[in-house]
Amino acid sequence: EKGGFASFMDKEIHDQPKAVADTLLGRTDLKGRLALDDLRIDEAVLRSIDKIIVVACGTAAYSGHVAKYAIEHWCRIPVEVELAHEFRYRDPVVNEKTLVVAVTQSGETMDTLMAVRHAREQGAKVISIVNTHGSTIPRESDAVLYTHAGPEIAVASTKAFLAQITAAYLLGLYLAQLRGNKFPDEIDEILDELRAMPAKIQEVLDRGARVREIARWMADTSSVLFLGRHVGFPVALEGALKLKELAYIHAEGFAAGELKHGPIALIEPGQPVFVIVPSPRGRDSLHAKVISNIQEIRARGARTLVIAEDGDEAVVPYADEVFWVPQAPTLLAPLLTVVPLQLFACELSTARGLDVDQPRNLAKSVTVE
Ligand code: M6R
């Protein structure tokens, strides 16, 4: 049931601290060692892989995008992310040394299932990250890492997305531990940060009133752009997808670095643009680059809606509105920065009088190719 919320989506957005906490639960032993018991793939095989390909669709694919940044950084294994339907039909280079990671909430997405079958036919091992127990994709995978988000009813994915990102971090840390890329205390440190995330997500939810208010004011907007760099890029893509799905508004997510390669031509006075700003405590140059992107679009009249970390005063002069999120390591920040965008889409859809849980033309699981 909706538990007092106006929609399942609203409820599921508020379930996210628990979805992340439950996905972490019981997966580290007392010494902080990661124990992914449900991974039945031989450790020797996992040590020998030389490439990871994440296959998924829609929101699940954006979690794969975040996974790429984290796993490459922690494990030094090349990671590709590919839409499952594109992967299947382009004769990809896949062999026994490839690990394919299939990410899916429903476990029934036909495009993803076909990609899994194709990968296994080529000799690859497949790990699936799945939310729905008893579904088809885990049955057809070599191993499964369940996300413990609980049932997701709303067509638009929210808590499953955060749980998928969390599971991908665990997989990355597990591989780093197994392959000796990180010292145990380094892994412990990241796990501690990860365990602190549910409370920070709650904090973002507690601060949600302002983004909802702005969404109501913007009910008649015809186009919204989203910009991000690094892990903020998939967050921008996800923010745009949520708005398309729920509010039927034209929305695009861009890598902020692409601006001058084309999208900046779209900026005209009054154009609303969300910008996801990376932590200033992370790589300096990354933060500075996004600040200069905000300046560039603001100079052309954009209305800048900025998502930034607490204390990042550098954004203030260029922001029409700032939505603050608690401090977190750059790689983990998507668990926080996407939340205001979910709230925005949910509220804007409601303000337009639309059905948030059952948007037109969409099904919860896409079981045809
Ligand atoms: O069940 P899956 O995670 O495999 O579904 C993948 C996509 O169809 C799904 O994420 C879709 O994009 C959602 N409607 C996004 O909100």
Side-chain angles (χ1 to χ4, degrees):
E1 257 318 294
K2 292 182 198 161
F5 289 95
S7 61
F8 280 108
M9 186 188 176
D10 203 4
K11 175 183 180 289
E12 288 161 7
I13 290 174
H14 286 83
D15 281 346
Q16 295 185 118
K18 182 165 157 48
V20 171
D22 287 354
T23 299
L24 292 172
L25 204 68
R27 281 173 163 160
T28 53
D29 66 16
L30 289 175
K31 285 188 228 102
R33 247 186 76 96
L34 279 156
L36 299 184
D37 292 334
D38 22 10
L39 293 193
R40 301 175 304 260
I41 300 177
D42 200 303
E43 294 198 346
V45 172
L46 289 177
R47 274 194 203 96
S48 72
I49 56 158
D50 62 10
K51 176 167 79 173
I52 295 176
I53 306 180
V54 182
V55 294
C57 304
T59 290
Y62 299 147
S63 80
H65 235 102
V66 176
K68 172 184 166 80
Y69 286 90
I71 298 177
E72 287 197 339
H73 183 68
W74 292 332
C75 309
R76 312 310 301 153
I77 307 172
V79 181
E80 293 170 21
V81 189
E82 191 150 12
L83 294 168
H85 33 91
E86 286 296 317
F87 171 83
R88 173 64 189 82
Y89 291 102
R90 73 164 175 90
D91 193 16
V93 180
V94 178
N95 55 40
E96 302 72 30
K97 286 182 171 262
T98 313
L99 176 67
V100 167
V101 178
V103 187
T104 169
Q105 188 288 129
S106 62
E108 300 294 350
T109 300
M110 186 56 73
D111 291 314
T112 309
L113 177 60
M114 297 311 266
V116 165
R117 288 186 182 157
H118 184 71
R120 292 188 78 202
E121 278 162 18
Q122 315 297 308
K125 292 287 183 214
V126 174
I127 295 180
S128 51
I129 294 181
V130 184
N131 197 47
T132 308
H133 284 254
S135 56
T136 309
I137 289 172
R139 269 205 310 277
E140 296 210 15
S141 306
D142 295 288
V144 55
L145 188 55
Y146 281 105
T147 47
H148 297 150
E152 193 179 62
I153 311 288
V155 165
S157 188
T158 54
K159 63 176 179 174
F161 179 60
L162 264 63
Q164 284 157 355
I165 295 175
T166 306
Y169 291 147
L170 286 173
L171 178 63
L173 292 173
Y174 175 77
L175 292 173
Q177 171 183 281
L178 194 72
R179 297 162 62 98
N181 300 95
K182 287 225 167 290
F183 294 114
D185 51 335
E186 288 178 286
I187 292 179
D188 258 10
E189 237 171 74
I190 304 170
L191 280 173
D192 280 346
E193 297 276 12
L194 210 43
R195 288 192 201 94
M197 295 308 281
K200 295 182 186 182
I201 298 166
Q202 186 58 51
E203 178 83 43
V204 180
L205 292 169
D206 293 344
R207 300 176 188 181
R210 182 66 182 161
V211 74
R212 285 180 182 273
E213 194 177 354
I214 302 275
R216 289 193 293 273
W217 290 346
M218 287 175 60
D220 294 327
T221 305
S222 56
S223 148
V224 183
L225 305 180
F226 296 78
L227 298 179
R229 287 185 104 103
H230 193 260
V231 288
F233 174 35
V235 170
L237 294 173
E238 171 64 2
L241 179 62
K242 286 286 94 88
L243 203 58
K244 287 176 209 171
E245 284 189 295
L246 297 169
Y248 319 150
I249 287 177
H250 176 255
E252 288 298 326
F254 298 107
E258 274 292 287
L259 263 180
K260 52 187 158 307
H261 302 287
I264 200 162
L266 289 170
I267 306 293
E268 56 186 8
Q271 169 68 50
V273 186
F274 274 95
V275 186
I276 298 105
V277 180
S279 169
R281 300 164 306 111
R283 256 190 291 148
D284 281 2
S285 53
L286 191 65
H287 177 261
K289 287 231 155 55
V290 177
I291 300 288
S292 83
N293 293 142
I294 308 178
Q295 281 174 272
E296 281 157 14
I297 56 170
R298 192 114 185 290
R300 290 162 178 82
R303 176 144 182 261
T304 54
L305 306 160
V306 175
I307 299 178
E309 192 179 86
D310 283 344
D312 184 3
E313 295 302 321
V315 302
V316 175
Y318 314 110
D320 289 297
E321 195 67 49
V322 188
F323 306 108
W324 299 104
V325 299
Q327 299 189 345
T330 302
L331 282 169
L332 307 189
L335 295 176
L336 306 178
T337 51
V338 77
V339 176
L341 302 181
Q342 297 169 333
L343 291 170
F344 179 78
C346 184
E347 190 69 28
L348 207 147
S349 168
T350 309
R352 285 162 77 92
L354 303 172
D355 185 341
V356 183
D357 290 333
Q358 294 279 345
R360 68 183 179 200
N361 310 339
L362 293 172
K364 181 63 184 162
S365 62
V366 184
T367 52
V368 290
E369 268 191 277

